[in-house]
Amino acid sequence: MSVFISKDKELCVDQQTSRMADFGLYEYQEEVVQRALRGENIIIWLPTGGGKTRAAVYVAKKHLENNPGAKVAVLVNKVHLVDQHYNNEFNPYLGSDYSLVSISGDCDQKDFFGCEVKNSDLVICTAQILENALTNQEEGKHVELSQFTLLIIDECHHTHKEGVYNKIMARYVAQKLKGERRLPQILGLTASPGTGGAKSIKGAVEHVLQICANLDSVIVSSKVYAPELKKKVPRPRKRFDIVDRRPQDPFGDHLKFMMQFIHDFMALGPEFPVREFGTQEYEADVVILEKKGVTDRNRLLAQCALHLRQYNDALLINDTVRMVDAFRVLESYYSTKSSTAMDGTDFFLLGLYQENEVELRKLSGDARFENPKMGKLQNTLLEQFVQGGHSRGILFSKTRKSICCLYDWVSNNPALQRAGIRAAILTGAGNGINYMTQNEQKDTIRNFRLGSLNLLISTSVAEEGLDIPECNLVVRYGLLTNEIAQQQASGRARASDSVYSVVAQAGGREVRRELLNECLEDLTGRAIGEVQRMEPRDFQMKITDLQTEALLTRQLAEQLKLKKRSRFNAATVQLSCRGCFLPVALGHDIKVIENAHHVNINPDFERYYKTGGQPALKTFEDWEPGRVISCAACGRQWGMEMIYKNIALLPILAIENFAMETPEGRKLAKKWKNVEFTVEEFNFSTYCHNKFPNMLD
């Protein structure tokens, strides 16, 4: 494992160790950093709340002190963690002696990343910022891995598959296998590498070894001072708050009746068996049906499948939150359908909803048949919050829709309001009505920390990494996640005598999954133990074998990808709207900007779409968002306009909203990287010459 460390480091280790107490490290933290202080590549495995980041700050401090000219990069996988690590950990301990900078997608420094790295001792940034800089050859933006002497990777269990961490480390491993010596030391941080889906000790060990290979590191944990760690990071009291299935569900039954009516209209036949309505399995079935409808040019099948998915979503919401929430989802979906109906299928589906709308509204308001989980959730919250004014909790749910519904319920629940619950939503950053901006995230977390909010209703964004106050209640509601997410969520309940509650239906999948995750958590620990007990020589041989295999696999995959992208001539591929099958573009009309934005440069394309509202997006270096665009014929949303360099108005298209007619038949793609024709780079000069031929005269 190649590490660039000065020769005198070994003389300093004893002195460093004696100064750890002054830094505020616990003995179990001192234990896990020892090998990092000797310049080795390691993964620190400590539970949530165990102080992994503080240990990393200490390693960074000693690295900078003992290696003149050292340069450290701290990589995070979420934007809000950039400022959190800078403000709460690294700057307080290192800012007076070293030059630190924090860089994320919403700051101007990212456009001069190479210059910032050159002028700083330590950089904290999202991994994507570094990946962009490694691939961007423009002066002032480009960096090389060899410029860094220490790379700290937060939540490093994400270093796998096509994740951005693994793209960076794949470059590192390739350089290592070529014999490159000036590579940074690696320090990974994780609360759990998980089992990678494995349910046997052999599979779990293979997964842990693969994570070690990806990070070119050994994995270390506290052994001698494990009792101190256990005392410092106590486990919350876990309980299952179980409710019986509601005896009657006339609202859900009526939805299922309507779904069966649509199935009868489709007349699928016995070769398409129907699985249980209101399940994830059924959702997978209708996704396949919609794809089949599009590829077979069967609009009846495709549109019925889309509507069935909406009804299935309503059933899932009905099972998770309130009946009225499920009704509102359908009401919102059908509110725009009358203006875009174009054939008998559309009129049948719209008419079916309209004929049943009054009955659905009536049933959704009947309190006798309300979801019993809501009553159990109310009691769980009241039990903690009525005990005093200092309670803090996090309520985890699966989707943005469900947390919005839960927030509305909490805000309008008299009993919860009397208990002094002050709630807010916390979701990931993104675009759309149910997303949050980065500043909104920061404000919400700040208010929770200060106490003006005492309940976060959150998706998985709050499971990892967030520096939030110790909570005495964590509730997982309607969640099916893996053992990593479960451990992360449990670790948020750090207050004394805290409670970790699973609100679920008796015999439901949530309870079964929680129990399975407990077994997988134990399996992860046993697998790590086996890896740690391996002979160093055997471990290194295994890691090198895995790295070589991964490198060859990536090279082969890249060759296949290039071959696939040149399968068809772009001029022979026709793009049709996925909603109405209307041909609207050819493959050679599409160009790509900055290897990310796929635009249609054909001026005739504008007659096929209509524009809507403005997406909630910021302005970028070379472009700013325009309006949302959708099919003029059927209303299917296609993407949005971009205003490029203040001159070019270009429609950005999402390929998932189109079908492609190729010489070998109709095909679909979820991402542009999956299309089977070459998309050329956008040439701004050529565009301007064609668009404004007299501009330079």
Side-chain angles (χ1 to χ4, degrees):
M1 299 181 186
S2 304
V3 179
F4 172 66
I5 296 293
S6 68
K7 295 180 180 178
D8 61 345
K9 68 175 176 59
E10 294 179 356
L11 302 176
C12 303
V13 173
D14 292 338
Q15 188 178 11
Q16 290 168 357
T17 304
S18 67
R19 293 167 59 187
M20 288 185 190
D22 296 335
F23 194 79
L25 292 189
Y26 292 95
E27 289 180 305
Y28 69 82
Q29 291 171 306
E30 296 179 19
E31 180 184 0
V32 297
V33 301
Q34 289 301 315
R35 296 180 71 171
L37 296 177
R38 295 196 293 268
E40 296 183 43
N41 288 1
I42 72 164
I43 300 167
I44 292 178
W45 174 47
L46 288 176
T48 300
K52 295 180 293 295
T53 309
R54 182 65 54 82
V57 175
Y58 185 81
V59 172
K61 179 178 174 64
K62 296 307 166 189
H63 181 88
L64 290 167
E65 286 177 355
N66 298 324
N67 297 279
K71 200 170 293 290
V72 180
V74 181
L75 305 185
V76 299
N77 63 329
K78 293 176 182 175
V79 171
H80 54 260
L81 297 179
V82 174
D83 285 346
Q84 175 180 297
H85 283 349
Y86 178 85
N87 294 326
N88 299 355
E89 295 288 350
F90 286 90
N91 194 51
Y93 288 96
L94 305 180
S96 60
D97 298 317
Y98 301 99
S99 172
L100 277 63
V101 63
S102 61
I103 304 176
S104 61
D106 62 348
C107 66
D108 294 334
Q109 290 102 314
K110 75 178 188 300
D111 299 323
F112 305 95
F113 187 77
C115 297
E116 293 289 345
V117 168
K118 189 177 296 184
N119 297 326
S120 304
D121 299 311
L122 185 145
V123 178
I124 304 174
C125 64
T126 55
Q128 190 62 55
I129 295 287
L130 177 58
E131 172 65 11
N132 293 345
L134 290 168
T135 57
N136 192 327
Q137 298 303 312
E138 187 177 338
E139 187 176 357
K141 296 184 178 182
H142 178 70
V143 298
E144 295 283 348
L145 279 175
S146 58
Q147 290 178 242
F148 300 100
T149 55
L150 174 63
L151 210 59
I152 299 173
I153 303 179
D154 191 34
E155 307 294 355
C156 69
H157 51 272
H158 292 296
T159 312
H160 61 90
K161 297 181 181 177
E162 294 301 310
V164 64
Y165 280 163
N166 212 27
K167 289 181 180 178
I168 293 169
M169 286 307 302
R171 187 179 284 104
Y172 178 105
V173 168
Q175 292 178 21
K176 172 207 167 183
L177 293 176
K178 289 178 182 177
E180 171 65 52
R181 296 302 175 190
R182 287 185 63 87
L183 287 172
Q185 179 185 356
I186 302 297
L187 175 60
L189 310 174
T190 185
S192 173
T195 68
K199 297 191 173 56
S200 68
I201 187 64
K202 181 181 178 181
V205 166
E206 283 294 319
H207 173 72
V208 173
L209 283 169
Q210 187 65 65
I211 294 290
C212 290
N214 293 346
L215 287 154
D216 196 42
S217 300
V218 298
I219 187 165
V220 301
S221 56
S222 178
K223 303 292 186 183
V224 177
Y225 296 102
E228 180 196 38
L229 172 61
K230 188 174 182 180
K231 183 178 179 181
K232 169 62 181 172
V233 190
R235 302 280 297 219
R237 178 165 48 92
K238 183 172 183 176
R239 73 185 195 198
F240 290 95
D241 291 318
I242 304 300
V243 298
D244 293 328
R245 182 187 295 271
R246 51 183 155 191
Q248 296 182 65
D249 183 15
F251 175 77
D253 291 342
H254 200 85
L255 291 178
K256 292 175 182 178
F257 160 77
M258 295 170 69
M259 293 169 75
Q260 187 59 54
F261 202 79
I262 296 173
H263 271 273
D264 294 342
F265 178 73
M266 289 191 294
L268 289 174
E271 65 270 24
F272 291 100
V274 179
R275 287 197 272 188
E276 183 183 356
F277 296 150
T279 63
Q280 299 290 348
E281 291 77 16
Y282 178 79
E283 180 178 320
D285 289 344
V286 294
V287 167
I288 293 171
L289 277 180
E290 190 271 339
K291 289 180 180 178
K292 179 174 174 55
V294 174
T295 53
D296 291 354
R297 293 177 170 275
N298 185 338
R299 189 169 187 274
L300 183 152
L301 180 60
Q303 290 300 304
C304 285
L306 286 175
H307 287 247
L308 284 168
R309 186 170 183 179
Q310 290 296 319
Y311 283 107
N312 197 64
D313 281 349
L315 282 173
L316 290 169
I317 292 170
N318 179 53
D319 182 61
T320 304
V321 281
R322 299 168 298 181
M323 296 182 292
V324 68
D325 297 315
F327 173 72
R328 286 171 182 167
V329 166
L330 287 176
E331 186 179 40
S332 174
Y333 179 73
Y334 281 100
S335 63
T336 60
K337 290 301 176 185
S338 59
S339 61
T340 57
M342 58 183 296
D343 62 13
T345 299
D346 293 334
F347 289 115
F348 163 76
L349 293 166
L350 179 62
L352 177 66
Y353 172 77
Q354 290 175 337
E355 290 169 10
N356 289 273
E357 183 177 17
V358 173
E359 181 65 14
L360 287 173
R361 187 188 302 274
K362 176 184 174 183
L363 291 171
S364 70
D366 194 331
R368 294 176 298 169
F369 308 112
E370 194 52 271
N371 188 348
K373 292 180 189 174
M374 302 303 292
K376 179 63 73 172
L377 177 59
Q378 175 175 309
N379 292 337
T380 300
L381 293 173
L382 288 175
E383 181 180 323
Q384 291 299 119
F385 280 92
V386 297
Q387 294 178 358
H390 301 294
S391 292
R392 278 197 179 94
I394 306 179
L395 170 56
F396 287 107
S397 194
K398 182 179 181 181
T399 66
R400 292 180 178 89
K401 282 182 182 177
S402 63
I403 68 167
C404 287
C405 296
L406 287 167
Y407 173 74
D408 181 71
W409 170 71
V410 169
S411 301
N412 293 284
N413 185 301
L416 297 180
Q417 292 305 300
R418 284 194 300 271
I421 292 180
R422 302 176 299 279
I425 286 171
L426 183 63
T427 70
N431 313 314
I433 190 170
N434 291 331
Y435 289 80
M436 300 181 77
T437 65
Q438 294 166 15
N439 285 334
E440 287 172 338
Q441 280 186 340
K442 292 175 185 176
D443 289 343
T444 298
I445 295 165
R446 184 186 306 113
N447 291 332
F448 188 66
R449 187 178 295 119
L450 294 173
S452 55
L453 298 172
N454 56 15
L455 179 67
L456 292 181
I457 305 174
S458 179
T459 53
S460 59
V461 69
E463 287 174 346
E464 283 190 356
L466 281 181
D467 181 22
I468 52 182
E470 294 181 347
C471 299
N472 58 312
L473 176 66
V474 166
V475 182
R476 282 167 62 83
Y477 185 81
L479 276 178
L480 288 167
T481 58
N482 63 21
E483 71 280 7
I484 297 176
Q486 179 174 311
Q487 287 175 257
Q488 298 276 6
S490 174
R492 298 298 154 204
R494 303 180 199 167
S496 59
D497 198 29
S498 57
V499 172
Y500 173 84
S501 166
V502 179
V503 177
Q505 184 174 286
R509 292 181 299 170
E510 296 94 338
V511 174
R512 294 197 298 272
R513 184 69 217 196
E514 285 283 331
L515 296 174
L516 172 61
N517 285 342
E518 291 177 4
C519 297
L520 293 176
E521 182 179 348
D522 177 69
L523 184 60
T524 300
R526 289 193 288 126
I528 291 172
E530 286 209 13
V531 170
Q532 291 174 332
R533 287 189 293 272
M534 290 178 68
E535 289 295 326
R537 184 173 177 275
D538 294 340
F539 175 82
Q540 289 297 340
M541 288 178 59
K542 180 65 175 178
I543 293 304
T544 301
D545 288 345
L546 288 172
Q547 290 174 338
T548 304
E549 180 182 329
L551 177 63
L552 294 173
T553 301
R554 279 191 294 269
Q555 291 174 342
L556 178 60
E558 191 60 35
Q559 292 173 10
L560 293 174
K561 188 186 299 181
L562 290 173
K563 184 177 180 181
K564 180 180 178 182
R565 285 183 178 175
S566 59
R567 185 171 184 177
F568 304 118
N569 186 310
T572 67
V573 178
Q574 187 178 67
L575 272 63
S576 302
C577 174
R578 190 159 173 166
C580 62
F581 304 164
L582 178 70
V584 295
L586 291 172
H588 64 195
D589 295 332
I590 310 301
K591 307 297 178 187
V592 61
I593 298 176
E594 298 173 355
N595 202 33
H597 314 295
H598 291 76
V599 299
N600 190 322
I601 63 168
N602 190 331
D604 293 335
F605 181 64
E606 63 183 21
R607 64 192 176 99
Y608 293 110
Y609 68 81
K610 57 186 178 182
T611 56
Q614 192 91 4
L617 271 177
K618 62 177 183 173
T619 298
F620 296 86
E621 181 182 8
D622 290 327
W623 67 280
E624 60 182 275
R627 297 161 296 180
V628 173
I629 63 172
S630 55
C631 178
C634 71
R636 172 121 187 182
Q637 188 169 314
W638 286 349
M640 69 176 184
E641 296 173 319
M642 77 181 311
I643 304 166
Y644 187 65
K645 294 186 182 293
N646 297 316
I647 295 177
L649 182 66
L650 301 166
I652 303 177
L653 305 181
I655 191 60
E656 65 180 352
N657 295 318
F658 298 88
M660 292 171 289
E661 301 288 350
T662 75
E664 295 182 6
R666 177 170 279 204
K667 296 177 178 287
L668 303 174
K670 194 171 184 180
K671 302 286 185 182
W672 278 105
K673 66 181 180 181
N674 302 128
V675 301
E676 296 178 286
F677 61 93
T678 301
V679 180
E680 297 178 348
E681 280 285 333
F682 175 74
N683 188 302
F684 183 62
S685 298
T686 302
Y687 173 85
C688 290
H689 180 76
N690 294 335
K691 186 81 171 178
F692 313 106
N694 300 320
M695 187 172 67
L696 300 178
D697 292 348

